[in-house]
């Protein structure tokens, strides 16, 4: 089993600009960059036109650390204090469940731990101290 923690920056529509800035300022290398428009379509939730060019997920390698980025989905905004989250990645679904259940105690579930097109178990939870974690399970769905 592996377990990694990575900072995840949630941007208000300017993730592309932030990625370019941190790539230059921190001598980073873009490993992955995908827009909402490049994601598989979900007919139950049609994608607004203004979302198609926004970053759904990007990863920049800075030294030995992965710095992750996403734009907030249209209609949602981040605020000072919740712009930086921590992404906990593991390759063990049971470990993801255990971490999610532990962190949600006296906290707030932002997105239930569930299967997603990119992960067999993914969820977002803010713990009782106000720290937001994205639980990401690596591997096939």
């Amino acid at each position: 089993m592996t377990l990694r923690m990575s900072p995840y920056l949630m941007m208000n529509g300017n993730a592309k600009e932030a990625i370019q800035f941190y790539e230059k300022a921190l001598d980073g290398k873009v490993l992955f960059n995908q827009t909402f428009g490049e994601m598989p379509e979900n007919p139950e939730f049609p994608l607004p036109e203004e979302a198609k060019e926004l970053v759904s997920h990007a990863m920049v390698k800075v030294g030995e650390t992965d710095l992750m980025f996403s734009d907030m989905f249209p209609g949602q905004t981040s605020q000072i204090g919740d712009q930086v989250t921590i992404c906990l990645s593991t390759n063990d679904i049971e470990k993801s469940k255990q971490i999610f259940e532990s962190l949600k105690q006296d906290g707030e579930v932002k997105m239930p731990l569930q299967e997603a097109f990119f992960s067999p178990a993914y969820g977002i939870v803010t713990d009782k101290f106000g720290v937001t974690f994205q639980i990401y399970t690596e591997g096939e769905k």
Side-chain angles (χ1 to χ4, degrees), residues 10-78:
M10 303 298 295
M11 310 305 288
N12 284 321
N14 60 347
K16 285 181 183 177
E17 179 184 352
I19 290 165
Q20 291 171 350
F21 174 79
Y22 291 117
E23 184 180 20
K24 185 175 180 182
L26 303 175
D27 196 26
K29 180 177 190 243
V30 176
L31 300 180
F32 182 81
N33 193 346
Q34 180 181 51
T35 65
F36 285 108
E38 294 170 325
M39 293 171 41
E41 290 188 42
N42 182 343
E44 295 177 32
F45 300 100
L47 189 64
E49 194 62 38
E50 66 270 19
K52 290 185 177 176
E53 293 303 313
L54 295 176
V55 174
S56 65
H57 180 69
M59 186 181 307
V60 176
K61 186 67 131 182
V62 178
E64 296 298 315
T65 302
D66 294 331
L67 181 58
M68 299 181 191
F69 295 85
S70 180
D71 279 312
M72 298 297 290
F73 199 77
Q76 299 176 327
T77 57
S78 64

Side-chain angles (χ1 to χ4, degrees), residues 8 10 36 56-57 70-73 76 82-88 96 99-101 103-105 107-116 118-119 121-127 130-137:
Y8 205 117
M10 303 298 295
F36 285 108
S56 65
H57 180 69
S70 180
D71 279 312
M72 298 297 290
F73 199 77
Q76 299 176 327
D82 69 359
Q83 187 174 7
V84 178
T85 64
I86 298 171
C87 182
L88 289 170
S96 291
I99 291 170
F100 191 86
E101 290 299 315
L103 290 173
K104 80 175 194 179
Q105 297 303 313
E108 178 186 357
V109 173
K110 302 279 189 173
M111 178 181 171
L113 190 68
Q114 60 193 332
E115 183 177 319
F118 54 87
S119 172
Y122 174 79
I124 303 172
V125 62
T126 300
D127 72 11
V131 178
T132 300
F133 291 87
Q134 297 182 51
I135 311 303
Y136 169 71
T137 310

Side-chain angles (χ1 to χ4, degrees), residues 90-91 117-120 136-141:
T90 182
N91 60 354
F117 78 90
F118 54 87
S119 172
Y136 169 71
T137 310
E138 301 167 352
E140 299 298 318
K141 300 193 290 183

